[in-house]
Amino acid sequence: MTEVEQADRFARAREAQSVALIEDYVEMIGDLIAELGEARVADIAERMGVAQPTATKAIARLKRDGFATSRPYRGVFLTEEGAELAERVRARHRTVVALLVAVGVPEEIAELDAEGIEHHVSEQSLKAFEDFLQGK
Amino acid sequence: MTEVEQADRFARAREAQSVALIEDYVEMIGDLIAELGEARVADIAERMGVAQPTATKAIARLKRDGFATSRPYRGVFLTEEGAELAERVRARHRTVVALLVAVGVPEEIAELDAEGIEHHVSEQSLKAFEDFLQGK
DNA sequence: GATGATCTATAGCCTATGCTATATTTAAAT
DNA sequence: ATTTAAATATAGCATAGGCTATAGATCATC
């Protein structure tokens, strides 16, 4: 492996990381809307395990990036793009957990680890996971 | 899953992330020392794909955290703790790549994805991976 | 409808991680 | 030995993502 290839690999991992939090927030907001009809900042903050202003700031980034919308002092909603991302993330999470369990990781551990792992699973790996799970 | 459990899960993923870069640098420095006898800042920066001052700053954090040592304008070396971490990271990386390949991920993709995934694989999952790879 | 509780926004702070530009030191070459 | 090239450090800046404290808006209740 050349230095450049190695560098690209790390650049890729850094990029994935910068997307990870966005994905988590979007999925969480989708969950809350499904459960409660809307996603309030306080609920988002509580579930993400961060202080309320931290959630507010993250939501501002989601809005800036076109994944969410909201009016002051009101609930947060997903744009079409946000809703699609949430669904992809949810599906990927399920697949990663299932894969981990399939290779012998205890269910609880699988759920914990998947939260971090899922953001680094490429389309190709996801496809491989799905095929493996179907016994192909 | 309760809100608190969910929050803890995210907190865990955030913690793993903060350790990830440290692990990458330590492993990289170990590689360079093995190959070249010492790890120069310029080489570290090039392989990590970052500007030289970014590497310098990261190395300062490694030193602060007890993983590396260096004198101004000289090479960077690992402490005992750093060397142990490097070896653990290297072994984990190999296992993760092997697991991915074992479930059908193409070698190249496995290498790419492993770079991000490995930092979120717990001891328990790693053990499960090893057992799975040994056909248990 | 005033009032108190709750929720949200804002201000201001911190660290980590990136960058460019530039000063300084070391190493190499004449 | 001086000069130049290369490597490293430092200064200064930006964004992301945390935090606390506090101001402001909304909601519920009397």
Side-chain angles (χ1 to χ4, degrees), chain A residues 14 40-42 52-53 56 72-73:
Chain A
R14 281 197 299 273
R40 303 300 307 217
V41 172
Q52 170 258 307
T56 298
Y73 296 99

Side-chain angles (χ1 to χ4, degrees), chain A residues 18-99:
Chain A
S18 82
V19 175
L21 251 200
I22 289 177
E23 292 180 341
D24 284 338
Y25 272 99
V26 165
E27 183 183 6
M28 173 76 31
I29 291 167
D31 288 346
L32 285 166
I33 291 172
E35 288 174 36
L36 311 173
E38 68 173 351
R40 303 300 307 217
V41 172
D43 294 331
I44 296 169
E46 182 178 15
R47 292 217 189 173
M48 291 298 295
V50 299
Q52 170 258 307
T54 299
T56 298
K57 223 185 268 189
I59 292 161
R61 286 192 291 272
L62 294 187
K63 291 168 71 173
R64 182 200 61 192
D65 295 349
F67 295 114
T69 59
S70 76
R71 298 198 331 266
Y73 296 99
R74 302 293 172 181
V76 179
F77 298 92
L78 295 177
T79 61
E80 192 175 338
E81 192 181 356
E84 284 167 9
L85 177 59
E87 188 43 45
R88 278 202 306 278
V89 170
R90 210 184 318 275
R92 191 185 57 189
H93 179 84
R94 279 193 302 265
T95 300
V96 170
V97 171
L99 188 279

Side-chain angles (χ1 to χ4, degrees), chain B residues 30-101:
Chain B
D31 288 346
L32 285 166
I33 292 172
E35 287 175 39
L36 311 172
E38 66 173 353
R40 302 300 307 217
V41 171
D43 295 331
I44 296 169
E46 182 177 16
R47 292 216 190 173
M48 292 297 296
V50 299
Q52 169 258 308
T54 299
T56 298
K57 224 184 269 191
I59 292 161
R61 286 192 292 271
L62 294 186
K63 291 168 72 173
R64 183 201 59 192
D65 294 350
F67 295 114
T69 59
S70 75
R71 298 197 333 266
Y73 296 98
R74 302 296 173 178
V76 179
F77 298 93
L78 294 178
T79 60
E80 192 175 336
E81 192 181 354
E84 284 168 10
L85 177 59
E87 188 42 45
R88 278 202 306 278
V89 170
R90 209 185 318 276
R92 191 185 56 190
H93 179 84
R94 280 193 301 265
T95 300
V96 170
V97 171
L99 187 280
L100 290 175
V101 170

